[in-house]
Amino acid sequence: MRPLDGITVVSLEHAIAAPFCTRQLADLGARVIKIERPKVGDFARGYDERVDGMSSHFAWTNRSKESLALDLKHHEAPAILQKILEEADVLVQNLAPGAADRLGLSYEALSQRYPGIIVCDISGYGNDGPYRDKKAYDLLIQAESGFVSITGTPDGPSKAGCSIADIAAGMYAYTNILAALLQRGKTGKGSHIDVSMLESMAEWMGYPLYYAFDGATPPPRAGASHATIFPYGPFPAGDGNTVILGLQNEREWDAFCRVVLEQPELTKDERFISNSLRSKNRVELTQLIVESFAPLTVELVVERLERAQIANARLNEMRDVWDHPQLRARERWTSVNSPVGVIPALLPPGHSNAYNPRMDAIPALGEHSESILHKLGYVGQDIDRLRAEGAI
């Protein structure tokens, strides 16, 4: 038995934040009914064709769901939605601001009919405030939250390489829904959750915000290096590969000089006797490290770092992660079915000895429309009519 077996989630979702949230719920056993536009579907289906013709974003965020194609503007859509919601525990939506309210799907409206329902709204800026109606995409929230300003190099800012604002909002929606289900178990009452991408990212920006407290200078952009700790970041080995290493304290600095650089005299060098001085004099120290690593392969550098008990990692590319020995040893890869056939999939993080995560197929657009409508009492000619009218 999985933790969310018996829980039904209805999701009016697109892009990443809401689908990523509901996929986590599906992983734990929830039935997730994904409502999509007929013929078009979640627009993330069309982002690219990298997974044998299927979108990489869609493959990542939509396994184990049922797809119901439904035109929300069709005159019968409200009745269909209400029948679905009668059996639902959770409604998740990340429609345009105000759209759910216009459809009669606000918590205020739904809770009068279904007092136990949990409604989770995911948006760029939240359900009120001066930015409520402002369009919000991942890059824009990365910028608005200050993340882009501290990311990149001294020559220019950069965004993250993946959709971290969407991911942050999706994960906070997921954890808030879990908390709301626990709360309902105690009180019997549902609740309303308002998750903002901006607030999710602002929480993740806690360290740089406090670093720049009371008008202080913010952390400088330092590329893949740390803005305030040094040595901490990428360094080239002599074979053209890159190793990432990080020192946290003076004990590690001593071991780094003796074992890795084989220059114990550097521990007494006045330029490097504290982290703040090493950070201040990072140009000189970088040159010393690069010269020391120049005769070595990355394997030899890593061997010395391991011997010195210095934290390190290789700068892996995507192909290296696909074949990562640790993921393989822990059997983290499995497979799921999809509209384009069987594809590999990572098991969700957090291994439990109490249950196995749900790893069902990624749905085709409208794949479950008929079965869902049948369960709601619609017969064949009703379904044929709805299809002919473009409602499903």
Side-chain angles (χ1 to χ4, degrees):
M1 184 175 180
R2 300 181 182 96
L4 297 185
D5 283 351
I7 296 294
T8 297
V9 178
V10 177
S11 192
L12 304 172
E13 61 180 29
H14 56 251
I16 304 303
F20 189 54
C21 162
T22 57
R23 199 216 75 191
Q24 318 298 315
L25 299 171
D27 290 344
L28 296 184
R31 180 192 183 197
V32 176
I33 300 174
K34 180 184 181 77
I35 297 177
E36 303 186 70
R37 294 183 181 91
K39 298 182 180 178
V40 178
D42 178 345
F43 54 72
R45 287 182 179 271
Y47 278 172
D48 57 56
E49 302 81 31
R50 302 300 293 245
V51 187
D52 292 336
M54 183 170 54
S55 160
S56 53
H57 283 83
F58 197 85
W60 166 43
T61 59
N62 287 283
R63 65 173 179 249
S64 304
K65 299 179 184 180
E66 300 173 39
S67 172
L68 167 62
L70 180 64
D71 180 358
L72 297 177
K73 296 181 180 179
H74 189 272
H75 64 90
E76 289 194 47
I80 293 171
L81 276 176
Q82 293 300 329
K83 288 183 179 182
I84 294 173
L85 290 169
E86 286 175 4
E87 304 297 324
D89 299 279
V90 181
L91 171 68
V92 178
Q93 69 85 17
N94 69 332
L95 302 177
D101 289 359
R102 292 190 293 273
L103 292 167
L105 299 175
S106 67
Y107 174 74
E108 289 71 24
L110 292 176
S111 61
Q112 295 179 27
R113 299 184 64 176
Y114 318 114
I117 198 164
I118 295 162
V119 176
C120 180
D121 300 329
I122 305 174
S123 63
Y125 295 100
N127 285 341
D128 55 12
Y131 281 37
R132 186 195 69 169
D133 297 325
K134 191 176 176 68
K135 283 191 174 182
Y137 302 128
D138 180 84
L139 169 59
L140 308 180
I141 299 298
Q142 287 192 39
E144 198 74 41
S145 66
F147 177 85
V148 172
S149 75
I150 63 162
T151 305
T153 69
D155 296 327
S158 177
K159 73 176 188 68
C162 60
S163 305
I164 62 165
D166 283 320
I167 294 168
M171 291 306 293
Y172 280 116
Y174 165 57
T175 54
N176 272 271
I177 289 169
L178 294 180
L181 288 167
L182 288 171
Q183 182 82 354
R184 191 182 67 174
K186 298 176 181 179
T187 67
K189 297 179 180 179
S191 56
H192 178 216
I193 302 165
D194 175 7
V195 174
S196 151
M197 292 169 66
L198 176 64
E199 290 159 17
S200 300
M201 279 302 298
E203 166 64 23
W204 283 15
M205 290 291 291
Y207 143 66
L209 282 169
Y210 280 118
Y211 188 88
F213 182 70
D214 199 22
T217 304
R221 294 191 298 268
S225 297
H226 198 286
T228 57
I229 303 174
F230 198 82
Y232 198 120
F235 295 91
D239 59 0
N241 290 304
T242 299
V243 64
I244 312 287
L245 60 91
L247 276 66
Q248 293 281 354
N249 53 55
E250 297 311 306
R251 178 190 60 77
E252 291 184 347
W253 168 243
D254 179 77
F256 183 70
C257 293
R258 289 185 295 100
V259 179
V260 181
L261 301 182
E262 295 184 343
Q263 299 180 56
E265 67 278 6
L266 288 178
T267 60
K268 295 180 171 35
D269 192 309
E270 293 293 328
R271 296 170 297 174
F272 311 133
I273 57 174
S274 69
N275 174 68
S276 58
L277 287 171
R278 290 191 291 273
S279 185
K280 177 182 177 181
N281 297 302
R282 63 175 61 204
V283 173
E284 297 95 321
L285 184 51
T286 296
Q287 183 177 351
L288 289 169
I289 294 171
V290 171
E291 290 173 353
S292 179
F293 287 0
L296 308 175
T297 64
V298 71
E299 285 80 11
L300 285 173
V301 174
V302 169
E303 187 276 327
R304 289 190 185 183
L305 290 164
E306 288 291 317
R307 190 151 38 92
Q309 298 184 328
I310 302 295
N312 65 86
R314 298 177 187 231
L315 184 59
N316 284 335
E317 298 182 3
M318 294 303 99
R319 63 175 178 268
D320 303 311
V321 181
W322 275 109
D323 197 36
H324 199 290
Q326 184 69 3
L327 295 174
R328 187 171 62 247
R330 285 173 54 82
E331 299 180 338
R332 300 310 296 169
W333 286 105
T334 183
S335 60
V336 297
N337 289 318
S338 80
V340 298
V342 177
I343 65 170
L346 271 174
L347 291 166
H351 175 71
S352 171
N353 67 353
Y355 67 93
N356 291 321
R358 184 179 174 196
M359 300 292 291
D360 292 347
I362 299 162
L365 173 59
E367 179 179 342
H368 304 89
S369 297
E370 287 195 25
S371 63
I372 291 171
L373 291 171
H374 273 305
K375 290 176 183 177
L376 297 178
Y378 290 82
V379 296
Q381 66 182 42
D382 296 326
I383 295 172
D384 290 342
R385 176 180 54 79
L386 289 169
R387 182 173 287 109
E389 293 175 357
I392 63 172

